[in-house]
Amino acid sequence: MLEQTEPEEDNAFEEPVALGESQVEFVGDKSEYLHPEIAVETIRPIAEYLVEHDSVPLLLIGSTAGDITNESTLSLSADRAEAVKRTLVELGVDGSRISTIGMGSDDPWHVKDAGYDGPVASNNRKVVLIDARTELAVELMNGN
């Protein structure tokens, strides 16, 4: 009789998952959640998945609206990625599995010329989650 093996589980973060402003909104120009309870409830299922799938390393990529990337936007976007990491750790995820970077408006998903207002600009303010082992994640980490 052949031994059955467990099928490989789908990796929810093999493709990027964006937490946009409609899910995790930050106070303007800060890394504090505007609505902490909503942010935590949005992040909770992600934390539960990561606790259950403890072999998945995660990269969190913070980004900002506008088309300017400078020290200020890099710092803000990194701080926002760190805020999501802190929440994941508070919800039971091992922090050593999570890397963070801030890319300002230089992330690969940024829509140029969207400005600072409106739905497109809102979508540019995000934290993207991706498996840190993917080719894209490795490229992003090595470029920063």
Side-chain angles (χ1 to χ4, degrees):
M1 188 167 165
L2 290 175
E3 192 176 312
Q4 289 191 352
T5 58
E6 292 290 316
E8 276 192 40
E9 293 187 53
D10 288 334
N11 182 343
F13 299 102
E14 201 165 57
E15 295 295 322
V17 174
L19 294 176
E21 221 175 33
S22 64
Q23 296 142 316
V24 176
E25 187 174 6
F26 292 95
V27 174
D29 295 326
K30 299 196 182 293
S31 59
E32 302 161 19
Y33 299 128
L34 185 60
H35 305 287
E37 57 287 337
I38 294 171
V40 169
E41 288 312 306
T42 298
I43 296 169
R44 185 179 308 282
I46 296 166
E48 290 169 354
Y49 175 89
L50 290 169
V51 167
E52 189 175 311
H53 300 85
D54 61 3
S55 66
V56 176
L58 203 60
L59 173 63
L60 305 179
I61 305 143
S63 65
T64 56
D67 292 335
I68 297 170
T69 295
N70 57 27
E71 190 174 317
S72 173
T73 60
L74 289 172
S75 177
L76 176 60
S77 57
D79 289 348
R80 288 177 172 178
E82 282 291 328
V84 173
K85 177 180 178 175
R86 276 191 305 278
T87 303
L88 287 167
V89 170
E90 289 167 6
L91 293 170
V93 180
D94 178 357
S96 68
R97 296 172 44 203
I98 305 171
S99 301
T100 61
I101 58 174
M103 297 194 71
S105 62
D106 287 339
D107 69 278
W109 310 279
H110 187 83
V111 177
K112 298 288 185 197
D113 300 321
Y116 295 93
D117 297 313
V120 177
S122 180
N123 287 337
N124 278 340
R125 287 184 200 96
K126 64 192 166 300
V127 174
V128 176
L129 299 79
I130 188 169
D131 185 317
R133 299 169 294 195
T134 64
E135 185 177 328
L136 176 59
V138 171
E139 285 176 20
L140 294 173
M141 286 187 286
N142 289 337
N144 286 288

Short mmCIF file of all heavy atoms in Angstrom, two decimals, residues 2 5 11 25 30 44 48 64 69 74 79 91 107 125-127 139:
data_model
loop_
_atom_site.label_atom_id
_atom_site.label_comp_id
_atom_site.label_asym_id
_atom_site.label_seq_id
_atom_site.Cartn_x
_atom_site.Cartn_y
_atom_site.Cartn_z
N LEU A 2 0.56 2.19 -0.87
CA LEU A 2 1.34 3.43 -0.95
C LEU A 2 0.98 4.34 0.21
O LEU A 2 -0.18 4.48 0.58
CB LEU A 2 1.05 4.16 -2.26
CG LEU A 2 1.59 3.49 -3.53
CD1 LEU A 2 1.12 4.27 -4.75
CD2 LEU A 2 3.10 3.46 -3.49
N THR A 5 0.81 11.17 1.23
CA THR A 5 1.45 12.34 1.82
C THR A 5 0.45 13.49 1.81
O THR A 5 -0.47 13.52 1.00
CB THR A 5 2.71 12.75 1.02
OG1 THR A 5 2.32 13.01 -0.32
CG2 THR A 5 3.76 11.66 1.06
N ASN A 11 -0.10 28.75 -0.31
CA ASN A 11 0.53 29.81 0.46
C ASN A 11 -0.23 31.11 0.15
O ASN A 11 -0.16 31.63 -0.95
CB ASN A 11 2.00 29.93 0.07
CG ASN A 11 2.72 30.98 0.87
OD1 ASN A 11 2.11 31.84 1.50
ND2 ASN A 11 4.03 30.91 0.85
N GLU A 25 -6.24 52.00 8.12
CA GLU A 25 -6.02 53.43 7.86
C GLU A 25 -5.14 54.02 8.96
O GLU A 25 -5.36 53.79 10.14
CB GLU A 25 -7.36 54.16 7.80
CG GLU A 25 -7.22 55.60 7.39
CD GLU A 25 -8.57 56.28 7.19
OE1 GLU A 25 -9.62 55.66 7.47
OE2 GLU A 25 -8.56 57.43 6.75
N LYS A 30 1.51 59.81 9.95
CA LYS A 30 1.93 59.08 11.16
C LYS A 30 1.80 57.58 10.92
O LYS A 30 1.21 57.14 9.95
CB LYS A 30 1.08 59.49 12.35
CG LYS A 30 1.19 60.96 12.71
CD LYS A 30 0.66 61.23 14.08
CE LYS A 30 0.71 62.68 14.42
NZ LYS A 30 2.01 63.24 14.57
N ARG A 44 -6.17 40.43 12.33
CA ARG A 44 -6.32 39.20 13.11
C ARG A 44 -6.34 37.93 12.25
O ARG A 44 -5.61 36.97 12.54
CB ARG A 44 -7.56 39.27 14.00
CG ARG A 44 -7.71 38.05 14.92
CD ARG A 44 -8.93 38.16 15.82
NE ARG A 44 -9.01 39.41 16.56
CZ ARG A 44 -8.30 39.69 17.66
NH1 ARG A 44 -7.44 38.81 18.12
NH2 ARG A 44 -8.44 40.86 18.27
N GLU A 48 -3.74 34.79 12.48
CA GLU A 48 -4.18 33.40 12.72
C GLU A 48 -3.62 32.47 11.65
O GLU A 48 -3.17 31.37 11.95
CB GLU A 48 -5.71 33.34 12.77
CG GLU A 48 -6.28 34.00 14.01
CD GLU A 48 -7.79 34.19 13.96
OE1 GLU A 48 -8.43 33.93 12.91
OE2 GLU A 48 -8.35 34.63 15.00
N THR A 64 3.56 55.01 0.39
CA THR A 64 2.87 56.27 0.63
C THR A 64 2.24 56.79 -0.66
O THR A 64 2.59 56.36 -1.75
CB THR A 64 3.85 57.35 1.16
OG1 THR A 64 4.93 57.48 0.23
CG2 THR A 64 4.40 56.98 2.53
N THR A 69 9.58 60.23 -3.32
CA THR A 69 10.22 59.33 -2.37
C THR A 69 11.45 60.05 -1.85
O THR A 69 12.36 60.37 -2.61
CB THR A 69 10.60 57.99 -3.03
OG1 THR A 69 9.39 57.33 -3.42
CG2 THR A 69 11.34 57.10 -2.06
N LEU A 74 10.17 57.55 3.02
CA LEU A 74 10.76 56.22 3.29
C LEU A 74 10.60 55.87 4.77
O LEU A 74 10.24 54.74 5.11
CB LEU A 74 12.23 56.18 2.87
CG LEU A 74 12.50 56.19 1.38
CD1 LEU A 74 14.01 56.33 1.12
CD2 LEU A 74 11.94 54.96 0.70
N ASP A 79 7.84 52.90 8.99
CA ASP A 79 7.17 52.91 10.30
C ASP A 79 5.78 52.27 10.22
O ASP A 79 5.35 51.58 11.15
CB ASP A 79 7.05 54.34 10.83
CG ASP A 79 8.38 54.93 11.26
OD1 ASP A 79 9.38 54.18 11.37
OD2 ASP A 79 8.43 56.16 11.46
N LEU A 91 -0.55 39.66 18.19
CA LEU A 91 -1.56 38.63 17.95
C LEU A 91 -0.97 37.23 17.89
O LEU A 91 -1.64 36.28 17.51
CB LEU A 91 -2.34 38.95 16.67
CG LEU A 91 -3.21 40.21 16.74
CD1 LEU A 91 -3.74 40.59 15.36
CD2 LEU A 91 -4.36 40.01 17.73
N ASP A 107 7.25 51.62 -4.57
CA ASP A 107 6.87 50.21 -4.57
C ASP A 107 6.38 49.83 -5.96
O ASP A 107 5.92 50.68 -6.72
CB ASP A 107 5.81 49.92 -3.50
CG ASP A 107 4.48 50.55 -3.82
OD1 ASP A 107 4.31 51.74 -3.53
OD2 ASP A 107 3.61 49.82 -4.35
N ARG A 125 -1.54 54.31 -0.43
CA ARG A 125 -1.17 54.27 1.00
C ARG A 125 -1.49 52.88 1.51
O ARG A 125 -2.64 52.58 1.82
CB ARG A 125 -1.98 55.29 1.78
CG ARG A 125 -1.60 56.70 1.56
CD ARG A 125 -2.41 57.62 2.48
NE ARG A 125 -2.39 58.95 1.96
CZ ARG A 125 -3.34 59.49 1.18
NH1 ARG A 125 -4.43 58.80 0.88
NH2 ARG A 125 -3.20 60.71 0.74
N LYS A 126 -0.49 52.03 1.58
CA LYS A 126 -0.78 50.64 1.92
C LYS A 126 0.43 49.97 2.56
O LYS A 126 1.54 50.51 2.52
CB LYS A 126 -1.17 49.86 0.66
CG LYS A 126 -0.06 49.77 -0.37
CD LYS A 126 -0.56 49.26 -1.69
CE LYS A 126 0.43 49.46 -2.80
NZ LYS A 126 0.82 50.81 -3.11
N VAL A 127 0.16 48.80 3.11
CA VAL A 127 1.22 47.88 3.53
C VAL A 127 0.94 46.58 2.78
O VAL A 127 -0.17 46.03 2.86
CB VAL A 127 1.23 47.67 5.06
CG1 VAL A 127 2.26 46.61 5.43
CG2 VAL A 127 1.52 48.98 5.78
N GLU A 139 14.14 40.41 -4.24
CA GLU A 139 14.61 41.57 -5.00
C GLU A 139 14.37 42.87 -4.23
O GLU A 139 15.26 43.72 -4.17
CB GLU A 139 13.88 41.64 -6.35
CG GLU A 139 14.34 40.65 -7.37
CD GLU A 139 13.50 40.72 -8.65
OE1 GLU A 139 12.83 41.75 -8.89
OE2 GLU A 139 13.50 39.73 -9.39
#
